[in-house]
Amino acid sequence: MTSPTLPPELAEFDLSELSFWTRPESDRLRAYARMRAMERPPVIPIKKLPFTRSKPGFHAITRHADVTEASRTPELFSSEPTTNSLFEMPAWAARFFGSMINMDDPRHAQIRRVVSRAFSPRVLERAEENVRRRTARIVDEMIAEGPRDFVAQAAARLPVEVICDLMGIPERHHDLVLRRTNEILGYTDPEYNGAKADERFFTGTPRRTDVLRASARLVRAGRDLFRLVERLGEERRRDPGDDLISKLVTANADGESLTAQETGSFFILLVTAGNETTRNAIAHALRLFTEFPEQRRLLMEDFDGRIGTAVEEIVRYATPVIQFRRNVTRDCELNGAPLKKGDLVVLIYTAANRDEVVFTDPDRFDILRSPNPHVGFGGPGPHYCLGAHLARREITVMLRELFTRLPDIRADGEPDRLVSHFINGIKRMPFTFTPPGSRDGGEEGTS
């Protein structure tokens, strides 16, 4: 691919700059709509960063039909060598982040068979009991503390605690897991990567020292999580338990198990993808039900009958994972657009989930929307989210607990959003509720 220039239609929306991902959501949606209307997927330049290698640009795939087609055909749109970065993964990163999400079959299928034991009906049944217990305790503690930050007190806690319980990670390590997860997925956010938050950083020309500092923090985060699971894996090989680490490091019925490297990188994938997707869906859910109170009333009129479609709509509307990369394996076409072997394409799930060809009135939050073929858990195919069912249960249980025990809970003010082209994240969000003991006495809500 020759060095591209930004199409004139996107002159005001430069996706090659990090500053685009700090703009209001309405601006991003206008850019996606403009890209969907173009005859062919636009090619977006990739700005050169110090110490990195990348293609000169990527094809932005924004139509629902194109995203699903690319997802279904991994023989043309490969996940190797990497899916979660526009830049090529260096050797130091591959050790920690070279998980099955960056693999194609047959290796991907083999590892997925092993890790699928984490999501068997028996394991999920036990996990659901834990989700209910954990959620009740989280809300108990939130009521006792009073509302401060919904993400820290509720949304971020549940998924990381559930995943750590599944893996068999002792509670004393939960805070480390959460902090390191924040640093991995916040690698483009100055709060987490240590970069100087100035114009140079946000326009794609950061200082070499900023890139080095961000890389060092990313390495540290991956290394700490990797070493934690590596130590626990050695213990479980000697003395297996009923946790997921034990299942991964001991052979299944076919004699398959994961190496120490594969176990560590899978854990990093699980706590980043699984934690962040659920965490941000829960945070966005409170924001959406505050912004659209009529939808909340609709849900509470028949919670059990409507929560299923409500969760799907939350995931569609918020789309916690913005995009993933794919790598073209041979010359081909996608919806008439010619692609060359070696080209880079980016599947923008947020754009596909607002495609007016598929979704009637796509910018409307409608918890009764049906059908709802969103790609919020990834498109169809081998890389569809393995933990989607668990994520749905966590969102359901948390919303039930919140809305039944705290009927007036609501977001209170603008959320502090993550600076990221990968995760539609909320770092902090003020909220308010009336403590249960105060409602009968007619006291005002706490804030």
Side-chain angles (χ1 to χ4, degrees):
M1 181 189 296
T2 57
S3 297
T5 57
L6 196 69
E9 299 94 323
L10 300 178
E12 63 177 302
F13 303 114
D14 191 350
L15 276 71
S16 68
E17 293 188 351
L18 192 59
S19 59
F20 172 81
W21 306 99
T22 68
R23 295 176 66 166
E25 186 176 39
S26 57
D27 284 359
R28 300 191 204 183
L29 294 178
R30 283 197 300 120
Y32 299 149
R34 195 166 296 179
M35 286 189 280
R36 285 194 304 270
M38 297 173 69
E39 183 179 356
R40 293 178 176 176
V43 179
I44 309 297
I46 298 176
K47 293 191 175 180
K48 175 66 177 172
L49 292 182
F51 313 110
T52 64
R53 294 185 301 108
S54 71
K55 303 288 185 181
F58 66 88
H59 300 266
I61 310 302
T62 55
R63 295 175 185 170
H64 188 277
D66 296 345
V67 168
T68 55
E69 177 63 20
S71 301
R72 287 193 185 103
T73 51
E75 65 275 13
L76 294 178
F77 299 95
S78 169
S79 295
E80 297 179 358
T82 186
T83 64
N84 48 14
S85 173
L86 295 179
F87 299 94
E88 303 309 313
M89 186 180 295
W92 58 260
R95 182 187 179 203
F96 306 127
F97 306 112
S99 65
M100 67 178 188
I101 202 171
N102 297 319
M103 298 177 186
D104 295 320
D105 292 343
R107 187 61 181 143
H108 169 264
Q110 181 186 357
I111 293 181
R112 190 168 174 118
R113 280 196 303 272
V114 177
V115 303
S116 64
R117 287 182 286 178
F119 304 98
S120 67
R122 178 173 171 269
V123 172
L124 289 177
E125 182 179 354
R126 190 174 73 241
E128 184 156 347
E129 296 171 2
N130 184 43
V131 169
R132 288 195 293 266
R133 183 176 64 254
R134 286 278 185 184
T135 304
R137 191 176 81 176
I138 287 169
V139 175
D140 286 344
E141 293 176 2
M142 192 173 68
I143 291 170
E145 295 168 355
R148 298 192 308 273
D149 169 23
F150 181 73
V151 175
Q153 291 178 271
R157 282 190 58 186
L158 179 62
V160 75
E161 290 180 10
V162 169
I163 288 170
C164 285
D165 284 344
L166 275 174
M167 293 287 291
I169 307 291
E171 195 140 352
R172 65 182 181 274
H173 297 303
H174 289 191
D175 184 60
L176 170 70
V177 172
L178 181 59
R179 285 186 285 111
R180 295 299 183 254
T181 301
N182 285 340
E183 291 170 0
I184 290 171
L185 289 174
Y187 70 95
T188 53
D189 190 313
E191 179 177 341
Y192 298 117
N193 66 20
K196 186 177 180 180
D198 59 9
E199 184 178 355
R200 285 189 60 178
F201 179 78
F202 287 107
T203 57
T205 55
R207 299 166 183 82
R208 293 168 66 89
T209 52
D210 282 340
V211 175
L212 284 173
R213 188 177 296 113
S215 299
R217 292 197 178 193
L218 187 61
V219 172
R220 181 190 66 178
R223 179 201 62 204
D224 287 354
L225 294 179
F226 189 92
R227 287 179 175 174
L228 170 63
V229 175
E230 190 174 43
R231 291 196 303 271
L232 293 173
E234 291 172 357
E235 295 174 8
R236 306 297 157 75
R237 284 189 181 91
R238 295 190 300 268
D239 184 20
D242 196 30
D243 54 79
L244 180 53
I245 291 179
S246 297
K247 290 181 172 66
L248 296 179
V249 300
T250 57
N252 64 8
D254 297 320
E256 299 170 320
S257 63
L258 298 190
T259 66
Q261 189 279 326
E262 291 166 344
T263 303
S265 62
F266 172 71
F267 175 63
I268 293 172
L269 170 64
L270 190 61
V271 295
T272 51
N275 174 27
E276 289 297 312
T277 300
T278 308
R279 156 188 178 162
N280 287 301
I282 291 171
H284 280 287
L286 183 61
R287 177 184 67 84
L288 290 170
F289 282 118
T290 300
E291 186 177 346
F292 304 104
E294 76 286 353
Q295 294 295 307
R296 178 167 170 170
R297 287 192 295 270
L298 199 62
L299 173 63
M300 299 312 293
E301 287 171 3
D302 182 10
F303 187 94
D304 289 334
R306 293 170 178 167
I307 187 59
T309 55
V311 169
E312 300 307 315
E313 181 67 348
I314 290 165
V315 175
R316 180 195 76 88
Y317 200 90
T319 312
V321 177
I322 298 171
Q323 60 191 28
F324 266 122
R325 157 185 170 171
R326 292 292 186 267
N327 309 284
V328 179
T329 61
R330 62 177 183 264
D331 293 0
C332 62
E333 288 189 353
L334 181 62
N335 197 17
L339 300 171
K340 297 291 186 182
K341 179 180 179 180
D343 279 358
L344 191 66
V345 301
V346 171
L347 312 181
I348 305 182
Y349 301 123
T350 309
N353 280 341
R354 297 299 181 100
D355 191 337
E356 46 281 294
V357 173
V358 176
F359 303 99
T360 303
D361 197 4
D363 294 330
R364 181 171 184 267
F365 179 60
D366 177 10
I367 68 165
L368 300 183
R369 186 182 297 277
S370 181
N372 191 348
H374 67 80
V375 290
F377 290 116
H383 285 280
Y384 182 79
C385 179
L386 192 60
H389 178 75
L390 180 58
R392 290 181 175 108
R393 294 309 303 156
E394 290 179 87
I395 299 165
T396 296
V397 173
M398 178 59 82
L399 292 181
R400 184 194 302 275
E401 193 79 6
L402 290 172
F403 289 167
T404 55
R405 295 182 61 185
L406 302 170
D408 66 348
I409 188 171
R410 64 189 304 275
D412 186 27
E414 283 298 309
D416 184 5
R417 293 179 177 269
L418 184 71
V419 179
S420 176
H421 52 72
F422 183 48
I423 295 293
N424 185 19
I426 295 178
K427 295 189 290 186
R428 285 171 287 272
M429 187 168 70
F431 72 119
T432 183
F433 62 79
T434 302
S438 301
R439 288 194 292 273
D440 294 339
E443 295 181 18
E444 294 184 358
T446 307
S447 62

